[in-house]
Amino acid sequence: MANVQADGQWYPPEWPDRIRALTDGSLTPVVPKRAATVMLLKDTGTGPVVHMLRRRASMAFAGGAYAYPGGGVDPRDDDRHVRWAGPLRTWWAERLGVDETVAQAIVCAAVRETYEEAGVLLAGPTPDSVVGDTTGDDWEADRAALVARETSFAEFLDRRGLVLRSDLLGAWTRWITPEFESRRYDTWFFVAALPEGQRTRNASTEADRTVWITPREAAAGYDRGELLMMPPTIATLRQLMEYDTVAQALAGAPERDLTPVLATARLEEGRIVLSWPGHDEFTQHIPSTPGAPDTLVSQAVPEASDVPNGGAAV
């Protein structure tokens, strides 16, 4: 059972022991897996709303937490035969800070996972078009084959005569799961507009609920302790709050800093201080001795209005 703060933060009960082990050198960090997640946006009369899903409580990682569609890279996502439109792979490699093969894999994972978990496909028959309705038995069969890894995303695009629309994605931020976690992900967060004619649905077996919600409403639910979220999710929601339209958010993506956010832990006055650089609201003081209670003690967390505008699962 996870420890949950009054403000909705999600903290596994094993963290204190694992942090102690990391600080004393007895824990070797797990190598993080590459992952991608997409914040799907659409305009409403009250501003942009974002598509979120709630992970089933039974999930081993972040059960019960609200997140965005996303997941790990399929080894076949770096297939060089992927039909591609938008900025070249060289551009994406520079933007994401990786080589071209990894850049393609990350972008493919973002598009593929969005289709697998939300039924939304950022692809079209030409470089300047997007498919419309993606519901129906034939589309569902293709989606299920992707989920089961019976077919690769490249094969799916080829058979459908589609090209991946990388220009519909905006790279937003990058978070790496802390070194003391047993499940680690190096996750790139993207923004994208819901394509005209398409609609989201709960296509994921990992989620028990999906919602369209304004970033401000979601952040308020987190602050009241009603919506469970991990640090990158609430951090990105606060960042989205400054935009009045989807177009503004997409236009702001190219200027976003993609320096990875990685939590650090240090010993201070008998406690472990856990902090995320640039995100002071998540700083925690954790008992550092084996006999101490494992309940996490929050620093004073500022009100939502005082938090400056600063994501698989991290």
Side-chain angles (χ1 to χ4, degrees):
M1 182 69 179
N3 289 326
V4 183
Q5 299 301 317
D7 56 14
Q9 283 194 45
W10 177 87
Y11 290 106
E14 66 271 17
W15 271 17
D17 286 338
R18 294 187 64 85
I19 291 172
R20 286 192 293 268
L22 180 67
T23 57
D24 67 23
S26 61
L27 175 67
T28 300
V30 175
V31 176
K33 298 178 180 180
R34 299 194 307 270
T37 190
V38 177
M39 299 178 284
L40 278 175
L41 304 171
K42 67 177 180 180
D43 286 314
T44 70
T46 56
V49 289
V50 61
H51 179 69
M52 303 189 75
L53 53 84
R54 184 176 65 188
R55 293 173 60 81
R56 293 184 184 278
S58 59
M59 295 297 296
F61 188 86
Y66 280 80
Y68 312 113
V73 168
D74 181 333
R76 296 172 296 179
D77 285 334
D78 62 4
D79 190 325
R80 291 193 177 274
H81 298 296
V82 169
R83 297 163 62 98
W84 191 274
L88 298 176
R89 292 165 179 80
T90 53
W91 183 92
W92 277 107
E94 182 176 356
R95 177 70 180 116
L96 301 179
V98 296
D99 63 39
E100 290 183 41
T101 300
V102 174
Q104 175 180 289
I106 293 166
V107 172
C108 279
V111 176
R112 176 182 51 73
E113 287 285 342
T114 301
Y115 180 52
E116 289 181 11
E117 296 200 338
V120 171
L121 183 59
L122 303 177
T126 65
D128 57 358
S129 63
V130 186
V131 295
D133 187 1
T134 58
T135 60
D137 292 343
D138 57 336
W139 284 103
E140 177 56 25
D142 283 345
R143 192 195 66 79
L146 286 169
V147 172
R149 301 295 182 260
E150 294 170 355
T151 186
S152 71
F153 195 59
E155 293 167 339
F156 162 72
L157 293 175
D158 282 344
R159 192 172 63 76
R160 285 276 179 179
L162 302 173
V163 293
L164 181 154
R165 290 287 306 275
S166 74
D167 55 315
L168 299 181
L169 288 169
W172 192 262
T173 190
R174 179 183 178 186
W175 286 64
I176 301 177
T177 309
E179 292 183 331
F180 48 81
E181 272 280 29
S182 58
R183 298 169 183 264
R184 300 190 65 212
Y185 299 92
D186 185 352
T187 305
W188 281 262
F189 288 69
F190 296 86
V191 289
L194 178 68
E196 185 176 354
Q198 295 192 39
R199 59 183 184 273
T200 58
R201 58 194 176 90
N202 184 8
S204 173
T205 58
E206 298 179 354
D208 60 12
R209 185 189 184 205
T210 62
V211 296
W212 281 99
I213 188 170
T214 67
R216 190 172 301 278
E217 289 172 336
Y222 166 89
D223 290 331
R224 293 191 300 267
E226 296 172 359
L227 301 182
L228 186 62
M229 299 177 200
M230 291 182 292
T233 308
I234 181 58
T236 49
L237 286 170
R238 297 206 198 282
Q239 293 159 5
L240 289 172
M241 283 166 51
E242 66 181 88
Y243 299 98
D244 296 325
T245 66
V246 174
Q248 288 180 6
L250 292 174
E255 306 303 318
R256 298 284 311 168
D257 182 8
L258 295 185
T259 301
V261 178
L262 174 64
T264 60
R266 68 182 187 278
L267 286 172
E268 185 177 290
E269 298 181 352
R271 286 182 177 270
I272 297 169
V273 179
L274 177 62
S275 60
W276 280 256
H279 299 272
D280 292 343
E281 77 165 297
F282 305 128
T283 300
Q284 296 291 319
H285 289 188
I286 301 171
S288 61
T289 57
D294 278 352
T295 302
L296 303 183
V297 182
S298 294
Q299 275 192 324
V301 178
E303 296 296 326
S305 59
D306 297 328
V307 177
N309 288 327
V314 178

